[in-house]
Amino acid sequence: MISFVWSSAHPFLAGAGGSENYTAGQIRELKRRGIPTRILTLGYGEQDGRDDFPDIEFKALKSKAELSELDDTLVFVTYPLNVPTKRPAYAILHCPPTSYGGIDELFDLEGMKGKQLLVPSKFAAKLWKGHLGHHTHVRMPAVYPFAEPVFSQVKRPHRSEPHVPPKILFANRLIADKGIYTLLASLHLAGLRHREFELTVTTAGAHCDDGRLIQTLLEAHPRINVVPSCRTPKDMARLMAEHDIAVMPSTDIFWKEIFGISSVEAQHAGCRVVASNTGGLPETDCGGLMLVKPDDPLSLANGLARAMGLGPLTEAERLYASTKFTVASSVDRLLRIIQSTESRRVPRLSLQKQGALVREQLDTAFKKGIMQLGAGMAGDNKLAYRRIS
């Protein structure tokens, strides 16, 4: 049994962020392969988000101490807990170090020790190694996020009318980290001010205080259409397919975008993506990524204007994009790491014992060969062979 451990200041909610999408997608792929998998939650009881994921098994724990009693292969999501485990444990560090500290009460840097640390991008590995310093010198392999198959399979609507305004989508959480204020500022600059376009923003992240405040501001803006956040990959894929461009203007000042799963999903759905050239976002390129200077409204406005001129991805470009960052390749990578770690647990014989074993096997082979051939002396004292029946 592989159990993903959700340790966070918020329940495991659909449509809340990339970490949730990543975890749910991996669980579904493991189940498709017949591997028993579930998610363990702490501190929320049955109000842990299970209603949003009826196809996934949830188990609510009362305390982290219960994890030590399980014989599961534990994969901690977002950060590891400081608790001993029966089997080798893993932790996927989805978020940057600055996300923790006083925010999540369960976070303890000592929990990193003894765990195989995984990251969702090469940038994340560099960031965490710099933060942990002397606490770890181990390799942190990347297990990349992905777009589920529905994003490359969803049909894009046919537009028969000429001169349809370009459609732009901001589908990330409504927090300053994701660059929503940079996007708002860009709408007032020359590159976009006099252009005709439709901008849609979802309510992802509106369950938090900042999100509720930002949602109110967006609903008052005359050029922005606010729609409910999507709670399933199918709904998100359909929404992305209705747009030409996805925008991800994440900041580089007080937040580090570890990867940017929405960028991959949007490209699989046929959108061109305009994103900040920061963090792990450059690693999300599936052929349709355009990078702009982070925290720069003018650069963002110009980037969106260029993307409008290019339009959505062509069929060939979308087909190529769909070969990148698949859920199958992500789960393959995770399983290889787990299998490699498990194989190292098998006790290995010392060199002396291995040598004795080889000699014993050789002696047995020689004896068996002699028994099969047999040996004897002929009357003329010449060596003769006879086969023993």
Side-chain angles (χ1 to χ4, degrees):
M1 168 75 76
I2 297 178
S3 292
F4 288 78
V5 183
W6 180 252
S7 48
S8 173
H10 303 286
F12 191 87
L13 302 176
S19 300
E20 292 85 346
N21 292 343
Y22 179 112
T23 304
Q26 287 211 323
I27 291 174
R28 291 184 178 114
E29 175 64 14
L30 288 165
K31 287 180 60 180
R32 282 192 286 266
R33 300 185 185 196
I35 300 174
T37 313
R38 63 182 175 179
I39 183 166
L40 307 175
T41 61
L42 284 162
Y44 294 98
E46 294 190 359
Q47 305 301 314
D48 51 9
R50 64 184 62 196
D51 292 342
D52 291 351
F53 301 91
D55 59 327
I56 293 177
E57 178 185 348
F58 277 66
K59 179 178 178 61
L61 304 182
K62 294 181 180 180
S63 70
K64 67 179 184 180
E66 294 182 54
L67 295 168
S68 299
E69 302 171 5
L70 300 175
D71 195 35
D72 301 21
T73 295
L74 300 180
V75 180
F76 292 89
V77 182
T78 68
Y79 60 86
L81 298 177
N82 188 12
V83 61
T85 59
K86 290 185 177 181
R87 304 176 66 86
Y90 309 82
I92 305 177
L93 304 177
H94 284 286
C95 301
T98 52
S99 298
Y100 305 119
I103 299 177
D104 292 352
E105 294 180 358
L106 290 174
F107 178 70
D108 183 352
L109 198 62
E110 293 298 309
M112 302 283 180
K113 295 181 179 179
K115 312 291 195 307
Q116 170 62 69
L117 303 180
L118 311 176
V119 288
S121 66
K122 295 177 181 177
F123 169 77
K126 181 179 180 181
L127 192 67
W128 271 104
K129 285 180 179 180
H131 178 74
L132 295 173
H134 67 279
H135 289 279
T136 180
H137 60 276
V138 299
R139 189 173 63 93
M140 295 185 189
V143 180
Y144 276 108
F146 48 84
E148 293 206 46
V150 66
F151 288 92
S152 60
Q153 297 167 358
V154 64
K155 292 185 178 180
R156 295 182 61 84
H158 176 69
R159 300 179 188 172
S160 57
E161 311 89 345
H163 311 301
V164 175
K167 294 187 175 184
I168 305 172
L169 175 66
F170 178 92
N172 293 102
R173 293 193 301 278
L174 299 183
I175 51 177
D177 304 353
K178 298 296 184 178
I180 184 64
Y181 292 114
T182 304
L183 177 59
L184 288 173
S186 72
L187 302 181
H188 299 275
L189 299 178
L192 296 179
R193 184 189 304 166
H194 303 296
R195 293 192 68 121
E196 188 179 5
F197 61 85
E198 294 181 14
L199 174 59
T200 299
V201 176
T202 75
T203 59
H207 61 288
C208 302
D209 291 339
D210 286 351
R212 284 189 286 270
L213 173 61
I214 294 172
Q215 179 180 343
T216 302
L217 298 175
L218 297 177
E219 289 172 340
H221 199 292
R223 301 198 70 180
I224 297 177
N225 178 36
V226 179
V227 300
S229 62
C230 298
R231 305 181 74 81
T232 67
K234 183 177 181 180
D235 289 340
M236 178 58 81
R238 188 182 298 113
L239 178 64
M240 287 181 166
E242 293 172 353
H243 291 78
D244 306 306
I245 302 164
V247 59
M248 297 186 66
S250 298
T251 183
D252 188 43
I253 297 175
F254 51 90
W255 165 261
K256 302 295 181 182
E257 190 75 69
I258 287 292
F259 182 70
I261 193 172
S262 295
S263 172
V264 172
E265 293 171 342
Q267 291 174 79
H268 280 222
C271 294
R272 205 165 296 279
V273 175
V274 178
S276 295
N277 188 8
T278 182
L281 282 168
E283 296 180 54
T284 67
D285 190 11
C286 299
L289 179 67
M290 298 178 62
L291 296 172
V292 298
K293 187 177 179 181
D295 303 296
D296 188 329
L298 180 59
S299 180
L300 179 61
N302 292 337
L304 287 170
R306 290 196 302 272
M308 290 181 199
L310 293 173
L313 300 184
T314 65
E315 290 186 10
E317 288 174 326
R318 185 185 179 190
L319 183 62
Y320 173 79
S322 67
T323 66
K324 306 294 183 179
F325 301 108
T326 64
V327 63
S329 62
S330 180
V331 169
D332 284 344
R333 175 70 167 155
L334 176 63
L335 291 177
R336 281 197 299 270
I337 293 170
I338 292 176
Q339 290 165 359
S340 175
T341 304
E342 291 286 345
S343 67
R344 292 197 294 269
R345 296 181 67 220
V346 178
R348 296 185 177 182
L349 296 175
S350 66
L351 290 176
Q352 183 178 3
K353 290 183 178 180
Q354 289 184 49
L357 180 61
V358 170
R359 288 194 297 273
E360 181 182 347
Q361 292 173 338
L362 285 173
D363 288 344
T364 301
F366 279 127
K367 290 178 181 178
K368 184 176 181 181
I370 291 172
M371 287 292 292
Q372 288 178 341
L373 290 173
M377 298 298 294
D380 56 2
N381 290 327
K382 291 184 178 180
L383 186 65
Y385 292 92
R386 59 184 173 84
R387 184 174 296 278
I388 297 176
S389 58

